[in-house]
Amino acid sequence: MRGRWARRRVVEPDFDVGVVGFGPVGALLANLLGRYGLRVLVLERDAEIHPLPRAVHFDGEVMRVFQAAGLAGAVAEVARATSKGMHFVNAAGETLMVRRSTDGPGPHDWATNWYFHQPELDAALRKGVARLANVDVRLRHEATAVRDAGDHASVTVRDAATGATQALTARYVVGCDGARSLVRDVIGATMQDLGLHQPWLVVDVVADPRSERARQLPDYTVQHCDPRRPMTRVHVKGTRHRWEIMLMPGEDEAQVVKPARVWALLAGAIGPDDARIERAAVYTFHSLVAAPWRRGRLLLAGDSAHQTPPFLGQGMCAGIRDASNLAWKLRMVVAGAADPALLDTYEAERGPHVRDFIELAVRLGAIIQATDPEVAKARDAEFRAGGPERFDFPQPRLGPGVWLEGSPACGVVFPQPRLADGRRLDEVAGSRFALLSLLPFDDRGRSTVDGRRDGLDLAVIDAPGPAVAEWLAGREAVAVIVRPDRYVFATARDTAGIHRALAELATRLRRATR
């Protein structure tokens, strides 16, 4: 039938999700979505992995996300675990503060700090994507336009080799396309400034393994809180080291990157006889958060959504957490198991969470970047009076979203204990929601809660072991419901509480209440 009574033809999109950008965040998101069985398109304008180092650190929670993508072993081969933490040291060599680490596995059953050479990490993540036949990676293909077309998103793609353009469609498109994001521009997001804009010289060197001076460099990170020249020194991996050096007023960015000037700045630690400079460039450290992260079928992740100063080593980590939060929600929405409004909880949850990390990094930056001698003197005296302060990585609560108020544990990442049979929690739960309960089986050997409830794909673990029992006892609970990204949805004190929480979870997924 033609005319105004004709039914509108529904076109099946070419892909479920389009990912613009193939850096660590885009590659990790593609791995997660691909393992979920979604049809994924990845667009990357460059032909090769960027050869120079950029990010250098991730934490135990991020390693757990790599585990969820089936990549923990591959990543561990190219990264260095350390238990030495980060030391904040003043001009006199006194330790003001230490960001603690753990000896051995931390709460996520991985070391709490890892350092890496980014081209090697990128290669490991891309190799993971190559396992997945349902992920179509197109290198040297640039997204030149994106559009929310109502029932799908469209992407105009330019093939750099031929110059030809093609229009492709996806149910959703995620911009993992960095600080100069095309997708962010199309969404119309604006950047909120959290107050830090400071140029720093970033120097990466490869040490000569024969150099005694290079071998004596500390194998932990040092934040030199010297008002004459604030500086960060990082042992990345093997013979790789990084210095981040604050530019002082009046310094010429074009001059400070020249080798003679770089070696002069590093003279107290290392020289041209000990190492070669791999890269020296000036970067302005920013603290920015975009809003909004979603408009219809277009979303943002990673640097396109936020930029974090490096003083806590959480820039890339924030983007990996974005991917972990977004992947399971996209999976459920594409499968029809959740209302599309579930995707609105992505920014609602992640925005406040990443802001907490950025604000802490800015506060640490203020400690490091104090260049007024009197301010630095007062700072040192304050720390000296209380002795070195030791602090752990924060574990902030998500913003409002898919979790229940009522317990301080809710909305916070759950640890990864070893269960009673010795396996890690995530190895048993997989990509499902998980219920860990101390309640016994009934007299017919069945769990008190069915593994499928209200359409939920639920891993029920009735004998979770002593580590979980201790965690629950500390929160006056007998059970906990954990999301696929391992953040706590709810705790419960009895069987009735478990059933109420599961019913509320199903309701929230259907209506995606914020």
Side-chain angles (χ1 to χ4, degrees):
M1 181 182 293
R2 296 182 181 277
R4 65 191 183 94
W5 302 109
R7 291 186 178 181
R8 181 168 178 257
R9 186 169 65 92
V10 177
V11 178
E12 176 71 13
D14 302 312
F15 299 92
D16 293 316
V17 180
V19 177
V20 181
F22 205 27
V25 176
L28 190 276
L29 181 61
N31 271 285
L32 292 173
L33 295 174
R35 282 169 66 87
Y36 287 157
L38 275 62
R39 297 168 301 139
V40 181
L41 168 69
V42 180
L43 299 173
E44 171 55 53
R45 66 184 181 183
D46 294 330
E48 304 290 342
I49 290 170
H50 186 73
L52 297 177
R54 290 173 291 182
V56 294
H57 170 269
F58 63 83
D59 59 34
E61 181 185 351
V62 167
M63 187 56 153
R64 187 178 179 184
V65 179
F66 291 143
Q67 176 192 336
L71 296 171
V75 171
E77 289 182 1
V78 299
R80 177 180 73 90
T82 177
S83 62
K84 298 293 182 66
M86 175 187 290
H87 295 240
F88 295 72
V89 178
N90 68 9
E94 298 172 307
T95 299
L96 306 177
M97 191 165 53
V98 178
R99 187 195 72 199
R100 282 186 290 217
S101 190
T102 58
D103 291 324
H108 299 288
D109 205 44
W110 294 99
T112 52
N113 287 294
W114 297 78
Y115 289 90
F116 62 95
H117 180 51
Q118 186 171 330
E120 295 175 347
L121 177 66
D122 286 339
L125 297 180
R126 292 188 181 191
K127 187 175 181 180
V129 172
R131 304 168 301 175
L132 305 167
N134 50 316
V135 180
D136 183 350
V137 176
R138 303 191 185 186
L139 303 178
R140 296 197 69 196
H141 282 70
E142 181 179 7
T144 59
V146 294
R147 182 172 65 92
D148 177 5
D151 59 356
H152 66 275
S154 66
V155 186
T156 303
V157 182
R158 178 182 178 274
D159 183 339
T162 66
T165 61
Q166 179 183 15
L168 297 172
T169 59
R171 298 182 191 278
Y172 295 93
V173 169
V174 184
C176 302
D177 47 345
R180 298 179 178 87
S181 169
L182 166 69
V183 180
R184 185 180 66 227
D185 289 345
V186 174
I187 286 175
T190 58
M191 302 298 281
Q192 181 181 0
D193 186 347
L194 300 184
L196 179 67
H197 298 278
Q198 175 61 49
W200 284 62
L201 170 65
V202 177
V203 180
D204 289 283
V205 307
V206 178
D208 185 337
R210 299 167 298 179
S211 167
E212 180 63 29
R213 196 178 183 198
R215 287 197 297 268
Q216 291 176 354
L217 291 171
D219 62 351
Y220 53 87
T221 297
V222 179
Q223 300 282 7
H224 293 279
C225 307
D226 185 342
R228 295 167 298 183
R229 178 68 75 175
M231 187 180 300
T232 300
R233 181 171 59 195
V234 181
H235 177 208
V236 178
K237 180 191 173 192
T239 58
R240 294 186 178 277
H241 300 262
R242 169 173 292 181
W243 278 263
E244 295 170 354
I245 304 166
M246 181 175 164
L247 266 60
M248 307 304 282
E251 285 192 296
D252 186 334
E253 294 186 11
Q255 294 298 317
V256 79
V257 298
K258 293 184 176 180
R261 182 57 180 152
V262 171
W263 288 124
L265 291 167
L266 302 183
I270 200 168
D273 293 335
D274 308 298
R276 64 175 175 85
I277 297 171
E278 185 174 35
R279 186 268 303 266
V282 173
Y283 291 87
T284 299
F285 295 163
H286 294 293
S287 54
L288 302 169
V289 180
W293 295 15
R294 179 194 180 201
R295 191 173 301 281
R297 294 180 177 272
L298 308 180
L299 302 106
L300 304 174
D303 284 355
S304 66
H306 42 75
Q307 295 172 42
T308 307
F311 305 117
L312 196 59
Q314 286 292 300
M316 187 191 78
C317 296
I320 297 299
R321 291 189 184 94
D322 292 345
S324 179
N325 185 294
L326 183 57
W328 70 268
K329 295 176 180 179
L330 281 169
R331 174 198 191 187
M332 295 196 73
V333 169
V334 168
D339 188 278
L342 176 64
L343 298 177
D344 287 333
T345 69
Y346 165 57
E347 179 184 357
E349 291 182 347
R350 286 290 304 136
H353 193 275
V354 75
R355 183 184 293 265
D356 283 344
F357 276 102
I358 292 173
E359 289 176 346
L360 176 57
V362 171
R363 291 197 297 273
L364 293 175
I367 293 171
I368 299 162
Q369 295 181 134
T371 56
D372 184 315
E374 293 304 314
V375 171
K377 183 178 179 181
R379 174 202 64 196
D380 294 353
E382 183 177 347
F383 277 103
R384 194 178 295 119
E389 178 183 334
R390 299 182 182 274
F391 70 99
D392 297 307
F393 266 102
Q395 292 192 347
R397 176 177 280 191
L398 297 172
V402 190
W403 54 276
L404 294 182
E405 295 280 1
S407 167
C410 296
V412 177
V413 67
F414 189 70
Q416 179 170 219
R418 295 280 177 161
L419 302 178
D421 63 4
R423 288 183 295 172
R424 291 184 171 110
L425 165 62
D426 297 358
E427 293 170 350
V428 176
S431 60
R432 298 171 288 175
F433 288 89
L435 168 67
L436 292 87
S437 173
L438 300 182
L439 298 179
F441 286 85
D442 66 19
D443 57 2
R444 288 173 291 181
R446 295 181 307 192
S447 168
T448 53
V449 176
D450 191 351
R452 282 194 172 272
R453 164 72 185 262
D454 294 320
L456 294 174
D457 187 7
L458 185 70
V460 179
I461 302 170
D462 293 85
V468 176
E470 182 180 356
W471 188 94
L472 290 168
R475 290 148 184 86
E476 299 181 347
V478 298
V480 59
I481 300 169
V482 183
R483 308 183 333 178
D485 61 358
R486 303 314 174 219
Y487 279 72
V488 175
F489 172 73
T491 57
R493 296 188 176 189
D494 51 32
T495 300
I498 294 173
H499 286 288
R500 284 194 301 271
L502 289 173
E504 178 63 20
L505 174 57
T507 299
R508 289 198 177 208
L509 293 175
R510 284 195 296 269
R511 70 171 187 255
T513 298
R514 282 186 279 172

